[in-house]
Amino acid sequence: MAKHVDYYVSLNSPWTYLASKRLEAMAKKYNADVTIWPVDFGSVFAVSGGLPLPKRAPQRQAYRMMELKRWRDHLGVELTLEPKFFPANEVPAARCVIALREQGRMADAIKVAHAVLYALWAEEKNTGDPATLKAIIAGCGLDADAVLKAGDAPEMAARREEYTKAAIEKGVFGAPFFIIDGERFWGQDRLDFVERKLAS
């Protein structure tokens, strides 16, 4: 029986970006269903002991940069360590991803989320800019105007709040976060364990 993965993301997270294509490959390999949850990690951090990057100790910030470089080189992916527009305003993109998944278009939702992450971390684009976001969505082969209009609907903001509350209740505290059969996995560096779970 195919496994189901609940996939919690931040569209600003370099770690989510580093996980993105590898998770896609694993899901395809094991025929797993993936549900994407773009949640507000500012709210998640507030109740789980996390801190936004500027508030972290200098030692932690320095180590983060070293780890990003390590993983970038290890995986051989394009990644700018300090992209020009980080952190971007991720709300418009998150609402578009939510709109797509609410329409039952999960593959498109994941495609757009990963394209947004690539644009931010590999291409140094301002993913919070409406014109840039429109181009990213169109680059995914979708009707960008229709997706943006759906994302602008007031209920998409409410959905994001609901997703965030549900994520907190399930024990989510960082991005990316994966839940499979009730088992939790935090971070792109846990994808080996995610794969073992999918293979079991």
Side-chain angles (χ1 to χ4, degrees):
M1 181 178 174
K3 299 280 188 185
H4 179 264
V5 182
D6 282 310
Y7 174 40
Y8 297 85
V9 303
S10 160
L11 299 184
N12 261 325
S13 165
W15 311 109
T16 305
Y17 167 60
L18 287 169
S20 58
K21 293 303 179 185
R22 292 148 68 211
L23 178 68
E24 286 182 20
M26 285 180 196
K28 184 176 181 180
K29 180 178 179 179
Y30 297 102
N31 194 31
D33 294 318
V34 179
T35 299
I36 192 168
W37 302 88
V39 301
D40 176 7
F41 276 92
S43 297
V44 171
F45 286 169
V47 298
S48 63
L51 288 174
L53 184 59
K55 293 186 178 180
R56 294 176 197 167
Q59 300 94 320
R60 289 180 177 271
Q61 294 195 41
Y63 188 77
R64 171 184 172 276
M65 293 299 292
M66 190 162 44
E67 279 283 273
L68 281 176
K69 184 177 186 302
R70 275 188 191 135
W71 279 100
R72 178 193 66 184
D73 296 347
H74 173 66
L75 296 172
V77 299
E78 295 178 70
L79 184 144
T80 305
L81 295 175
E82 297 183 87
K84 193 182 302 181
F85 296 105
F86 172 78
N89 174 16
E90 68 175 319
V91 174
R95 288 175 61 159
C96 288
V97 172
I98 290 166
L100 287 166
R101 59 151 288 174
E102 291 297 314
Q103 294 171 10
R105 298 166 64 187
M106 199 65 67
D108 286 339
I110 294 169
K111 188 175 186 178
V112 168
H114 289 176
V116 167
L117 287 162
Y118 180 81
L120 176 62
W121 288 99
E123 299 179 322
E124 289 196 270
K125 291 182 178 177
N126 181 1
T127 54
D129 172 67
T132 302
L133 180 59
K134 180 177 179 178
I136 292 167
I137 294 168
C140 292
L142 306 178
D143 182 335
D145 287 326
V147 174
L148 288 165
K149 183 178 179 182
D152 277 339
E155 58 265 31
M156 294 307 120
R159 288 283 183 274
R160 191 164 185 243
E161 286 186 22
E162 290 169 15
Y163 293 175
T164 301
K165 288 177 184 174
I168 291 167
E169 289 170 4
K170 290 180 181 290
V172 172
F173 56 84
F177 208 98
F178 315 94
I179 301 180
I180 308 169
D181 293 341
E183 187 173 348
R184 296 176 296 158
F185 306 84
W186 171 45
Q188 62 88 28
D189 50 347
R190 299 299 184 274
L191 279 174
D192 285 350
F193 291 105
V194 168
E195 181 162 22
R196 291 180 200 181
K197 184 72 175 179
L198 293 176
S200 66

